[in-house]
Coordinates of all heavy atoms in Angstrom, one line a residue:
V231 N -19.3 26.8 -32.3 CA -19.4 25.7 -33.3 C -20.7 25.9 -34.1 O -20.7 25.8 -35.4 CB -19.4 24.3 -32.6 CG1 -19.8 23.2 -33.6 CG2 -18.1 24.1 -31.9
F232 N -21.8 26.1 -33.5 CA -23.1 26.3 -34.2 C -23.1 27.5 -35.0 O -23.6 27.5 -36.2 CB -24.3 26.3 -33.2 CG -24.3 25.1 -32.3 CD1 -24.5 25.2 -30.9 CD2 -24.2 23.8 -32.8 CE1 -24.6 24.1 -30.1 CE2 -24.2 22.7 -32.0 CZ -24.4 22.8 -30.7
F235 N -21.2 26.9 -38.3 CA -22.0 26.2 -39.3 C -22.9 27.1 -40.1 O -23.1 27.0 -41.3 CB -22.7 25.0 -38.7 CG -21.9 23.8 -38.5 CD1 -21.7 23.3 -37.2 CD2 -21.4 23.1 -39.6 CE1 -21.0 22.1 -37.0 CE2 -20.6 21.9 -39.4 CZ -20.4 21.4 -38.1
Y279 N -29.2 17.6 -28.3 CA -28.2 17.2 -29.3 C -28.5 15.9 -30.0 O -28.3 15.7 -31.2 CB -26.8 17.1 -28.7 CG -26.2 18.5 -28.3 CD1 -25.0 18.6 -27.6 CD2 -26.9 19.7 -28.5 CE1 -24.5 19.8 -27.2 CE2 -26.3 20.9 -28.2 CZ -25.1 20.9 -27.5 OH -24.6 22.1 -27.2
I283 N -29.0 15.2 -34.0 CA -28.3 14.1 -34.8 C -29.4 13.4 -35.6 O -29.2 13.2 -36.8 CB -27.6 13.1 -33.8 CG1 -26.4 13.8 -33.2 CG2 -27.2 11.9 -34.6 CD1 -25.7 12.9 -32.2
K289 N -23.3 14.7 -42.7 CA -22.4 13.9 -41.9 C -21.5 14.8 -41.0 O -21.3 14.4 -39.8 CB -21.5 13.0 -42.7 CG -22.2 12.0 -43.5 CD -21.3 11.1 -44.4 CE -22.0 10.1 -45.2 NZ -21.1 9.3 -46.0
D290 N -21.1 16.0 -41.5 CA -20.3 16.8 -40.6 C -21.0 17.3 -39.4 O -20.5 17.5 -38.3 CB -19.6 17.9 -41.4 CG -20.7 18.9 -42.0 OD1 -21.8 18.4 -42.3 OD2 -20.4 20.1 -42.2
L291 N -22.4 17.6 -39.6 CA -23.2 18.0 -38.5 C -23.4 16.9 -37.4 O -23.2 17.2 -36.2 CB -24.6 18.4 -39.0 CG -24.6 19.8 -39.8 CD1 -26.0 20.0 -40.3 CD2 -24.3 20.9 -38.9
T292 N -23.7 15.7 -37.9 CA -23.9 14.6 -36.9 C -22.6 14.3 -36.2 O -22.6 14.0 -35.0 CB -24.4 13.4 -37.6 OG1 -23.5 12.9 -38.7 CG2 -25.7 13.6 -38.3
T293 N -21.5 14.4 -36.9 CA -20.2 14.2 -36.2 C -19.9 15.3 -35.1 O -19.5 15.0 -34.0 CB -19.0 14.2 -37.2 OG1 -19.2 13.2 -38.2 CG2 -17.7 14.0 -36.6
A294 N -20.2 16.5 -35.5 CA -20.0 17.6 -34.5 C -20.9 17.4 -33.3 O -20.5 17.6 -32.1 CB -20.3 19.0 -35.2
Y295 N -22.2 17.1 -33.5 CA -23.1 16.9 -32.4 C -22.6 15.8 -31.5 O -22.7 15.8 -30.3 CB -24.5 16.6 -32.9 CG -25.3 17.9 -33.3 CD1 -25.8 18.0 -34.6 CD2 -25.5 18.9 -32.5 CE1 -26.5 19.1 -35.0 CE2 -26.2 20.0 -32.9 CZ -26.7 20.1 -34.1 OH -27.5 21.2 -34.5
S296 N -22.2 14.7 -32.2 CA -21.7 13.5 -31.4 C -20.5 13.9 -30.5 O -20.4 13.5 -29.3 CB -21.3 12.4 -32.3 OG -22.4 11.9 -33.1
R297 N -19.6 14.7 -31.0 CA -18.4 15.1 -30.3 C -18.9 16.0 -29.1 O -18.3 15.9 -28.0 CB -17.5 15.9 -31.2 CG -16.3 16.5 -30.5 CD -15.3 17.0 -31.5 NE -15.9 18.0 -32.4 CZ -16.1 19.3 -32.0 NH1 -15.8 19.7 -30.9 NH2 -16.6 20.1 -32.9
L298 N -19.8 16.9 -29.4 CA -20.3 17.8 -28.3 C -21.0 17.0 -27.2 O -21.0 17.4 -26.0 CB -21.2 18.9 -28.9 CG -20.5 19.8 -29.9 CD1 -21.4 20.9 -30.4 CD2 -19.2 20.5 -29.3
I299 N -21.7 16.0 -27.6 CA -22.4 15.1 -26.6 C -21.4 14.5 -25.7 O -21.6 14.5 -24.4 CB -23.3 14.1 -27.3 CG1 -24.6 14.6 -27.9 CG2 -23.6 12.9 -26.3 CD1 -25.4 13.7 -28.6

Side-chain angles (χ1 to χ4, degrees):
V231 171
F232 302 135
F235 277 120
Y279 288 177
I283 289 174
K289 292 179 182 178
D290 61 331
L291 287 174
T292 58
T293 301
Y295 282 123
S296 299
R297 177 173 54 81
L298 297 180
I299 283 178

